[in-house]
Every structure is written in structure tokens, then in C-alpha cells.
Amino acid sequence: MKLLFLSCLLTFVSYVNALHFYLDANQKRCFIEELPTDTVVEGHYRALEWSEKEQKYTADNPELGIVVEVQEEPSGHTVVKSTGPLEGKFTFTSHEQGDHSICLSTNYTAWFSHTHIRLYLDIVVGSTKPDKEQDRSHVSELASKVRDLNLKLEDIRREQQYQREREADYRDLSEATNARAVWYSLAQIIVLIATCAWQLRHLKRFFEDRKMR
């Protein structure tokens, strides 16, 4: 039962987004990932260029490069901006919670280029593989699994903290909206009372004037 529980935790904490798409020269494709603070993200990509001669996508052009740019949407801070080969990877750690845009493009700058690219992209969220590989030679297999589990549990804690912060923001927004509604209702009541008092005073003067006549 313990092993089953640990396996389920590892499955839900670290997830992978795998996809492929097509890219033309001077074109940029962006993807949005919502991340908690201090979350490690690792991306792997592989680009294939269309060959008119062979009538298929190949990886034979050494001049083709892939530009990767990662930006934190809340602040606009650029986390990663690099140009790599046809096949490579990028890694970054989120410093802010919220949406992060991951954009990929080619290093081609010719406006009249008709290059077509098929790009494969895998995004692993919550990856701790670099630390695991560094320490594997100094610990036993069991100790390595325990350490990995502790890191996954830390990811769960950060995710829960992030959800609590979002819940607090929504609660504050709801309380502020309710307070505005209460003040608006009070203002309506005051206006109605003042209007009634003015009408009664006006009617009283009107009937007094009629009596005097």
C-alpha cells in the first residue's frame, strides 16, 4: 500500500506536456504554463526542416537554430533567452507564481524564406533530475528514492501554498465586493428616506397653502 501511495504521488506531482507543431521562418509560437513559486521546469525540443529534395522533414541543416524565450507574465521578467541547435533542452526555475510564457522560434531572419519546421516539444514540470543525477554516485538506490520523494512532497507543499494564496485573493475580492454592495444599499436607503421627507414636507406646505385660501 505504501509503494502504491508513493507511486500515485509521483504521478500527480510531476507531469509532462508532449506535443509537436509546425513553424515557418520568422514565426514564433508561445505556450502558457501556470506555475507556483520555485518550481523547476525542464523542456526538450527537436526540430526537423522540410527538404524539397527528399520530400520529408530532416535534421541535416547545421545552420538552423532554435530560439527559446521564457518570460514571467506578471512582471514581464525574462527568465530564459537562448539559441540552441536543432535538438536540445532548456531548464528554468520560476521566481514568481502565475503564468509563464514559453516561446520558440527559429534563428532565420530572411523575410522571403519559405522554410517549414516541424518542432517536437516536451515540457516536464516539477523536474528534479539534475540534482538526482549529481548525487546518485554518493547514495544508495533506496536513499535516492527517499530523497526524490521528499523533493516531490516539497513540490506538493508549494502547490498547496499557491492554492491557499489564490483562495485568499478570491476571498478578499469577494469581501470587497460584498462591502461595496452593502454601502450601495445603504446609500439607496438614505436617498429614499431623504426623498420621502422632502415629499412629505412639500405636501404639508401645499395643504397649508390650500387651507389659507
Side-chain angles (χ1 to χ4, degrees), residues 6 9-10 13 128 143-158:
L6 296 181
L9 280 179
L10 294 178
V13 171
T128 55
S144 178
K145 290 182 178 179
V146 172
R147 181 173 50 81
D148 290 342
L149 179 59
N150 289 333
L151 294 175
K152 299 298 181 182
L153 292 176
E154 183 66 19
D155 288 338
I156 292 178
R157 187 192 64 79
R158 284 196 297 267

Side-chain angles (χ1 to χ4, degrees), residues 179-193:
R180 292 192 190 99
V182 170
W183 283 110
Y184 179 73
S185 300
L186 290 176
Q188 284 185 320
I189 293 173
I190 293 172
V191 171
L192 288 174
I193 293 174

